Amino acid sequence: MDTQHTAELLLPRSRTANERLHALIPGGAHTYAKGDDQYPEDLAPVISHGRGAHVWDIDGNRYIEYGSGLRSVSLGHAHPRVIEAVRRELDRGSNFVRPSIVEVEAAERFLATVPTAEMVKFAKNGSDATTAAVRLARAATGRSRVALCADHPFFSVDDWFIGTTPMSAGIPASTNELTVAFPYGDLGATEELLTRYQDEVACLILEPATHTEPPPGYLAGLRALADRHGCVLIFDEMITGFRWSEAGAQGLYGVVPDLSTFGKALGNGCAVSALAGRRDLMELGGLRHSGDRVFLLSTTHGAETHSLAAAMAVQSTYVEEGVTARLHSLGERLAAGVRDVAAGMGVGEHLVVRGRPSNLVFATLDEHGQPSQQYRTLFLRRLLAGGVLAPSFVVSSALDDADIDRTVEVVAQACAVYRKALDAADPTPWLAGRPVKPVFRRLA
């Protein structure tokens, strides 16, 4: 039975479980973005199970969940069509000494869904795919430098990216020097970078879109810059894949990268990612060329049959049921409701909803209009008390209108407290503990 949410949400079992997690797992979670430091003190629920758009914690509380599985569970938890496909393959074996027929079927399905790519290789996580893309670009160009978009938060757990963050401990300076950065939306600055490092940059890697639409002509301009300077254009479509269109941002905006990487929504929570792109580049990691071999992707579990079956089921569901359009519709309803109640409570300039409707995030700004972890803590605390688990407002297609309406109601209650804190110019009395912390920081 669900526990009724109150303003003083108590999570005794979750608190005990968090201590067990920290005792055995560095950081208390296997993903930093899931750490209890991302939630108000003593209000980090440990999940028991989920179904559709709802999850239950081990204390018996039910929540409407957003950003499910770090944006990966876009169809909702335990989606029947995906579960059926997974179970069917589990009964037939999951990993063999030679490729299974499922591997070619999954590749055919993926390339039919993303027709801008010519070959694909599957892996288990996004970092492996993006790092393989970078390695391939370096091999193809004979260049060492990687140019990444400075405005995008995450590309890989590997040294070429993590060395650029505040958590660069353990990464040699010589590695960091090989990664340079360019600003999103600024073709002039990017061209200046490529000119400064003439014939040194192997690739440009970026998310093709994030919380704002690409400026007119920007992606096509990047395509032209990459061609002119002889570097590889890589689109990280971990988030934009499926949420922007079934074929990703490249399918929506009509600009074709040399390589692209997919994950997250591809498996609806199952571990599968993909590196896709031009045949002449991808084949450098194959057996049918006469040049130096590239160790592209070679993972023991990269082609587990049940994960590939999940990916095929996800793609079929998206195409046949118009899932991307539904995500946009749900997001538009949520964004409009949140903006209305925030404005009505006098905090419309402080609680700001941003992004494409299928990928909404929120910013919490203080009395001076500056991003505030303290106000984020206050807001998250009130959402949790109302039964809404929302590190973002990224929707899944399992949400319904009642879920959205309830979320907006809880946001309105949170905004009333937000207004009181702004009037006092001090949110501290409403935090009940330390503020939440950014993922990337130098000290624990």
Side-chain angles (χ1 to χ4, degrees):
M1 180 178 293
D2 297 345
T3 300
Q4 182 175 352
H5 289 277
T6 68
E8 298 302 323
L9 181 65
L10 301 177
L11 302 174
R13 293 179 180 173
S14 290
R15 287 181 64 181
T16 299
N18 275 314
E19 288 303 312
R20 291 168 58 199
L21 285 163
H22 277 282
L24 302 173
I25 302 165
H30 286 92
T31 313
Y32 283 116
K34 296 183 182 182
D36 58 4
D37 60 336
Q38 302 300 293
Y39 292 85
E41 191 167 1
D42 296 331
L43 283 188
V46 174
I47 304 303
S48 164
H49 63 286
R51 185 163 298 278
H54 299 119
V55 296
W56 286 257
D57 66 27
I58 59 175
D59 292 280
N61 299 294
R62 184 180 71 160
Y63 305 86
I64 304 168
E65 188 195 38
Y66 293 88
S68 315
L70 305 181
R71 295 179 171 89
S72 68
V73 186
S74 61
L75 299 178
H77 299 291
H79 188 276
R81 193 165 176 175
V82 177
I83 294 301
E84 179 185 358
V86 169
R87 283 181 175 150
R88 184 169 60 247
E89 291 304 326
L90 286 175
D91 286 340
R92 293 160 49 84
S94 62
N95 208 338
F96 313 105
V97 75
R98 279 282 293 149
S100 73
I101 191 64
V102 176
E103 294 179 45
V104 70
E105 292 170 349
E108 289 169 344
R109 178 68 55 82
F110 181 90
L111 294 171
T113 306
V114 186
T116 41
E118 296 174 320
M119 296 187 85
V120 62
K121 197 156 190 178
F122 295 110
K124 302 309 288 180
N125 63 73
S127 292
D128 285 349
T130 53
T131 291
V134 167
R135 184 184 304 117
L136 195 55
R138 283 172 160 164
T141 61
R143 303 172 180 179
S144 299
R145 292 193 189 274
V146 175
L148 57 79
C149 184
D151 300 307
H152 298 163
F154 188 80
F155 289 103
S156 174
V157 300
D158 294 298
D159 289 0
W160 65 269
F161 170 70
I162 293 297
T164 69
T165 76
M167 293 177 70
S168 60
I171 300 172
S174 58
T175 297
N176 298 342
E177 291 166 1
L178 293 176
T179 300
V180 295
F182 61 91
Y184 187 78
D186 191 335
L187 290 174
T190 306
E191 182 159 28
E192 191 279 328
L193 181 77
L194 291 171
T195 301
R196 187 190 326 156
Y197 297 107
Q198 188 71 41
D199 299 329
E200 295 182 32
V201 175
C203 61
L204 300 172
I205 182 168
L206 73 158
E207 295 181 61
T210 54
H211 307 321
T212 58
E213 288 292 291
Y218 174 62
L219 294 179
L222 272 185
R223 174 71 277 171
L225 274 180
D227 291 339
R228 188 156 65 248
H229 287 268
C231 55
V232 175
L233 181 62
I234 304 171
F235 282 176
D236 178 341
E237 297 245 35
M238 294 296 160
I239 293 173
T240 52
F242 299 95
R243 287 189 178 275
W244 263 242
S245 81
E246 291 85 358
Q250 59 194 281
L252 180 65
Y253 301 123
V255 176
V256 181
D258 299 304
L259 299 171
S260 55
T261 58
F262 288 75
K264 294 195 183 286
L266 179 59
N268 200 53
C270 291
V272 60
S273 63
L275 167 64
R278 281 170 33 197
R279 179 176 300 277
D280 62 315
L281 289 175
M282 295 288 290
E283 192 62 81
L284 294 177
L287 299 175
R288 297 185 173 183
H289 67 95
S290 58
D292 291 342
R293 296 184 66 194
V294 177
F295 195 91
L296 186 55
L297 279 168
S298 184
T299 54
T300 298
H301 302 293
E304 282 178 332
T305 57
H306 52 275
S307 290
L308 295 182
M312 288 191 283
V314 167
Q315 289 166 90
S316 296
T317 302
Y318 262 81
V319 172
E320 294 169 17
E321 299 183 12
V323 172
T324 301
R326 175 166 174 77
L327 293 174
H328 278 70
S329 176
L330 289 165
E332 286 173 348
R333 181 184 178 98
L334 176 62
V338 170
R339 288 169 180 147
D340 284 348
V341 296
M345 292 291 176
V347 299
E349 296 182 357
H350 300 272
L351 176 64
V352 182
V353 179
R354 297 170 175 159
R356 195 170 182 83
S358 60
N359 189 54
L360 295 172
V361 298
F362 57 82
T364 50
L365 310 181
D366 65 16
E367 57 271 18
H368 305 296
Q370 297 301 308
S372 169
Q373 294 294 97
Q374 288 187 307
Y375 279 96
R376 179 175 175 83
T377 307
L378 176 155
F379 187 62
L380 289 175
R381 191 170 197 92
R382 307 312 300 185
L383 292 184
L384 286 163
V388 176
L389 181 57
S392 68
F393 281 145
V394 176
V395 297
S396 76
S397 65
L399 291 159
D400 60 23
D401 288 348
D403 293 322
I404 301 293
D405 292 344
R406 173 58 185 166
T407 300
V408 172
E409 179 184 335
V410 173
V411 169
Q413 296 166 2
C415 286
V417 179
Y418 206 128
R419 184 67 259 172
K420 291 179 182 178
L422 287 170
D423 291 340
D426 179 14
T428 306
W430 290 275
L431 300 188
R434 53 102 184 111
V436 299
K437 300 178 181 180
V439 168
F440 288 116
R441 59 185 192 273
R442 189 171 67 87
L443 301 176

